[in-house]
């Protein structure tokens, strides 16, 4: 049996580029509607490409499709890399199964965390894909939405799609739309005189913040930490990563800097799981429990191991009038990302903390496979 039909909001109507409800929407708004639609399980149409239904959130009675869209890295785990149309790493792959896919079988194909529970899949054949740009955009929209990068292609009975153009994705990701919306004094454990500044992008649901510790000194570059949100580490004190200790250590170092007449800025970025989202990060954790390291776990999910939004961090600094920083990081890629966008990094301040039995392998992977400068 298919999943129960979930009603759309009243007045939703036809959600396409030609819909009266969305007459001449901006490109960024169309992309935002697409991201929201994917989270709600609505089908998607990008340009003239076939209709795409997300397998994780999609719904419909007895809904089936003959083809699926997945990533090449996921295709490799399904033993398709020896087929020409699935052999290019990082590219989208169109595949056909021996039988039509329903949402349950499609989810088992799309989610590698379910491989042990559903080991018998296939056979599959990779097909020629003549709408590659739209397919790439669909996989990127899935990442932004925090869902699996897997779609049923032209399933029967999927309903009216959300429509957008390939170019709309760039407008959605434009950091120039970010603005400061408010600021307030926020006493924290590290400093009772801290100030918090909130940022919002009109096309993006994420709300980033900056915490400023100490008095601004125009003659001294601030001590800056770009910290990506980590619910498990920052809030729940997970020992699988070093995020919580890094956050606490950064705030303590900034408070110490303030006692010397300097100042510090923590950019708290809403990009959980290095940009793949909370649910997909937890899927990666499940794969790590099966023996894969953090890079391979992301790859098996069909997701990048690095998808953080450094241009937004640059925009936050620009809005605060900060042109040069002393950056707290072990990651040379962060230094390069800021300097590539006109922020001067006057010093890289090492930010290594002791490991524990649960994260030692994770930290070694960051050092050996991601180029982090760790002891």
């Amino acid at each position: 049996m298919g999943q129960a039909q979930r009603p759309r909001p009243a007045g939703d109507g036809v959600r396409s580029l030609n819909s009266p409800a969305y007459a001449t929407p901006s490109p960024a708004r169309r992309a935002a509607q697409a991201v929201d639609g994917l989270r709600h399980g609505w089908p998607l149409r990008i340009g003239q490409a076939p209709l795409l239904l997300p397998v994780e959130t999609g719904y419909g009675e007895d809904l089936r499709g003959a083809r699926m869209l997945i990533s090449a890295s996921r295709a490799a785990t399904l033993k398709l890399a020896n087929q020409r149309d699935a052999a290019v790493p990082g590219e989208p792959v169109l595949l056909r199964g021996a039988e039509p896919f329903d949402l349950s079988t499609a989810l088992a194909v799309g989610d590698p965390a379910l491989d042990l529970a559903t080991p018998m899949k296939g056979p599959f054949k990779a097909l020629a894909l003549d709408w590659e740009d739209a397919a790439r955009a669909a996989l990127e929209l899935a990442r932004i939405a925090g869902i699996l990068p897997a779609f049923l292609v032209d399933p029967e009975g999927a309903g009216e799609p959300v429509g957008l153009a390939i170019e709309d994705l760039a407008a959605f990701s434009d950091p120039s739309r970010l603005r400061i919306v408010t600021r307030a004094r926020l006493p924290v454990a590290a400093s009772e005189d801290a100030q918090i500044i909130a940022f919002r992008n009109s096309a993006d649901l994420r709300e980033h913040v900056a915490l400023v510790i100490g008095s601004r000194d125009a003659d001294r570059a601030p001590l800056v930490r770009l910290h990506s949100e980590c619910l498990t580490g920052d809030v729940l004190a997970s020992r699988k990563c070093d995020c919580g200790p890094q956050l606490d250590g950064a705030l303590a170092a900034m408070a110490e800097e303030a006692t010397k007449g300097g100042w510090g800025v923590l950019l708290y970025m809403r990009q959980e799981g290095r940009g793949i989202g909370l649910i997909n990060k937890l899927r990666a954790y499940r794969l790590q429990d099966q023996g894969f390291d953090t890079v391979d776990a992301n790859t098996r999910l069909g997701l990048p191991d690095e998808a953080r939004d450094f241009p937004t961090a640059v925009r936050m600094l620009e809005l605060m009038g900060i042109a040069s920083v002393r950056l707290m990081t072990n990651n040379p890629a962060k230094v390069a990302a800021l300097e590539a966008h006109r922020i001067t990094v006057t010093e890289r301040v090492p930010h290594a903390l002791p490991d524990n039995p649960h994260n030692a392998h994770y930290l070694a992977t960051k050092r050996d496979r991601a180029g982090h400068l760790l002891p």
Side-chain angles (χ1 to χ4, degrees):
M1 294 293 292
Q3 298 183 30
Q5 182 76 25
R6 288 178 284 173
R8 297 182 181 181
D12 174 63
V14 176
R15 306 181 70 90
S16 69
L17 289 176
N18 297 321
S19 169
Y22 295 107
T24 62
S26 70
R29 177 170 291 184
R30 286 196 297 263
Q33 290 165 355
V35 171
D36 187 56
L38 290 179
R39 293 189 179 120
H40 284 85
W42 298 338
L44 184 72
R45 190 185 298 280
I46 304 176
Q48 301 304 310
L51 181 147
L52 300 171
L53 184 74
V55 302
E56 179 180 346
T57 56
Y59 56 92
E61 291 290 344
D62 299 321
L63 191 149
R64 280 171 169 71
R67 297 175 296 165
M68 280 188 65
L69 178 70
I70 60 174
S71 72
S73 55
R74 177 55 179 153
T77 69
L78 297 171
K79 312 302 182 186
L80 297 178
N82 62 338
Q83 298 187 30
R84 182 185 62 185
D85 293 309
V88 181
E91 291 298 299
V93 173
L94 181 67
L95 62 84
R96 183 181 66 228
E99 299 290 338
F101 302 100
D102 60 21
L103 285 172
S104 178
T105 57
L107 184 61
V109 172
D111 187 354
L114 301 178
D115 283 349
L116 293 183
T118 57
M120 302 300 292
K121 291 188 280 287
F124 302 118
K125 178 176 177 54
L127 305 174
L129 181 60
D130 57 7
W131 37 280
E132 293 93 340
D133 290 344
R136 292 188 197 99
L139 297 183
E140 176 64 4
L141 285 166
R143 181 196 67 78
I144 294 170
I147 64 173
L148 289 168
F151 295 86
L152 283 178
V153 179
D154 265 342
E156 296 181 3
E160 194 71 28
V162 177
L164 73 159
I166 295 171
E167 297 78 13
D168 294 343
L169 186 56
F172 178 77
S173 305
D174 183 1
S176 69
R177 302 172 67 91
L178 195 74
R179 297 288 184 271
I180 293 175
V181 290
T182 193
R183 62 183 78 205
R185 190 176 72 86
L186 183 70
V188 297
S191 172
E192 294 187 355
D193 297 319
Q195 181 189 50
I196 191 167
I197 304 172
F199 302 79
R200 179 186 290 147
N201 186 316
S202 58
D204 192 338
L205 295 177
R206 298 175 302 168
E207 294 169 339
H208 309 283
V209 298
L211 190 72
V212 180
I213 293 178
S215 299
R216 181 163 187 159
D217 184 343
D219 297 326
R220 183 174 175 83
L223 192 61
V224 170
R225 167 73 182 165
L226 274 59
H227 190 89
S228 296
E229 174 186 39
C230 179
L231 173 69
T232 49
D234 299 342
V235 179
L236 303 178
S238 165
R239 293 172 65 78
K240 282 182 69 70
C241 64
D242 56 345
C243 300
Q246 282 192 331
L247 176 60
D248 294 339
L251 294 176
M254 292 173 190
E256 176 67 19
E257 181 75 8
T259 67
K260 302 175 183 178
W263 60 305
V265 178
L266 176 87
L267 301 187
Y268 197 82
M269 310 288 297
R270 300 296 302 276
Q271 44 191 9
E272 182 83 50
R274 301 170 73 87
I276 67 172
L278 175 62
I279 301 300
N280 282 329
K281 183 180 85 167
L282 298 183
R283 287 190 173 104
Y285 279 2
R286 184 171 177 176
L287 290 170
Q288 289 170 32
D289 289 340
Q290 297 173 14
F292 300 98
D293 68 28
T294 184
V295 173
D296 286 338
N298 281 31
T299 299
R300 290 182 74 85
L301 284 166
L303 294 163
D305 63 279
E306 176 59 270
R308 286 177 289 185
D309 184 0
F310 294 124
T312 289
V314 169
R315 175 63 176 164
M316 292 169 71
L317 293 171
E318 290 175 344
L319 289 171
M320 297 171 67
I322 298 172
S324 61
V325 302
R326 295 159 56 225
L327 189 64
M328 297 186 70
T329 185
N330 305 316
N331 185 359
K334 281 187 179 180
V335 176
L338 294 193
E339 291 184 331
H341 291 85
R342 306 177 305 281
I343 299 295
T344 300
V345 179
T346 62
E347 179 185 2
R348 185 190 70 82
V349 180
H351 195 41
L353 295 162
D355 61 13
N356 68 64
H358 302 280
N359 70 12
H361 182 58
Y362 164 75
L363 295 178
T365 299
K366 289 207 296 184
R367 179 193 64 214
D368 299 335
R369 301 194 65 184
H372 288 220
L373 303 175
L374 299 173

